[in-house]
Amino acid sequence: MKKILLTLPLACALTACASSGPRYMAADEAGDFGYYESVIEKNRYRVAYKTEGDDAGLARDYALLRAAELTLEKGYDWFEVVDRDTDIDRQDGHAEAVTHMRVHATTYRECGVLACRTVTRPAYIEPTVTETRYRGRETTVTLIEIVMGEGDKPGGGAFYDAAGLLETLRGRL
């Protein structure tokens, strides 16, 4: 009973970790998973987000989220997306074969002069089924170039209110 009580929280924690999707995080350096940015001019930045998988919409949302955070960090109110690009990279993987077979066994007792023993021997083997699974790796990178500004957000173009967008995206992601 103690073992069940001790392993249940661990199993729940592992399940929670396994079911969580891509995380929003800073990259250790440019090219790693997560966000990174570079300064182009005083109020112009290039923001990138790299994620595992082929969900381009998620990568774009994470890049916009970082752009909104960066805009507010730098003391601006809004930003305009002046350039954007999303690239999905599919790297070659490998195929692996998985073989399934079922062995049916017969169990019986053999008794000698001094003792008995239980013996299990295979009775027959069901035919094997082999599956081939392809394991490749996909990454998605979204790059956006933004220009930040202060005051009222201009109309037209791809202008975003940083505080409003931040609230919307954090509620959804």
Side-chain angles (χ1 to χ4, degrees):
M1 185 66 173
K2 283 184 181 180
K3 287 183 181 180
I4 292 173
L5 292 176
L6 292 174
T7 57
L8 186 61
L10 180 62
C12 291
L14 290 174
T15 303
C17 291
S19 64
S20 63
R23 296 180 305 130
Y24 178 71
M25 62 187 183
D28 291 332
E29 59 186 47
D32 288 346
F33 291 109
Y35 64 79
Y36 49 97
E37 67 269 337
S38 56
V39 181
I40 298 172
E41 293 177 349
K42 179 184 175 216
N43 67 334
R44 183 181 284 254
Y45 282 78
R46 182 171 293 121
V47 177
Y49 198 91
K50 181 177 182 179
T51 185
E52 197 165 10
D54 63 353
D55 190 347
L58 181 66
R60 282 192 295 268
D61 284 348
Y62 279 161
L64 284 172
L65 178 61
R66 179 59 191 152
E69 289 174 343
L70 187 62
T71 300
L72 295 174
E73 285 172 15
K74 299 300 177 185
Y76 294 97
D77 301 314
W78 53 266
F79 66 93
E80 177 186 15
V81 176
V82 293
D83 190 22
R84 72 175 69 210
D85 184 37
T86 299
D87 182 45
I88 299 174
D89 182 30
R90 291 178 173 88
Q91 297 174 352
D92 291 336
H94 64 279
E96 65 181 28
V98 179
T99 303
H100 305 277
M101 74 175 149
R102 183 174 289 167
V103 177
H104 296 274
T106 303
T107 303
Y108 57 94
R109 290 188 55 87
E110 290 181 345
C111 292
V113 176
L114 298 175
C116 292
R117 67 180 185 147
T118 303
V119 178
T120 302
R121 298 203 192 277
Y124 66 96
I125 299 173
E126 280 187 26
T128 61
V129 177
T130 302
E131 297 176 30
T132 303
R133 298 180 187 157
Y134 177 75
R135 296 216 173 211
R137 182 175 174 171
E138 296 174 332
T139 57
T140 302
V141 178
T142 293
L143 274 160
I144 59 175
E145 189 174 318
I146 62 169
V147 175
M148 298 178 262
E150 296 177 89
D152 293 334
K153 178 181 78 166
F159 294 95
Y160 295 91
D161 172 56
L165 181 65
L166 191 64
E167 184 179 325
T168 301
L169 287 176
R170 282 194 177 151
R172 190 174 68 200
L173 300 173

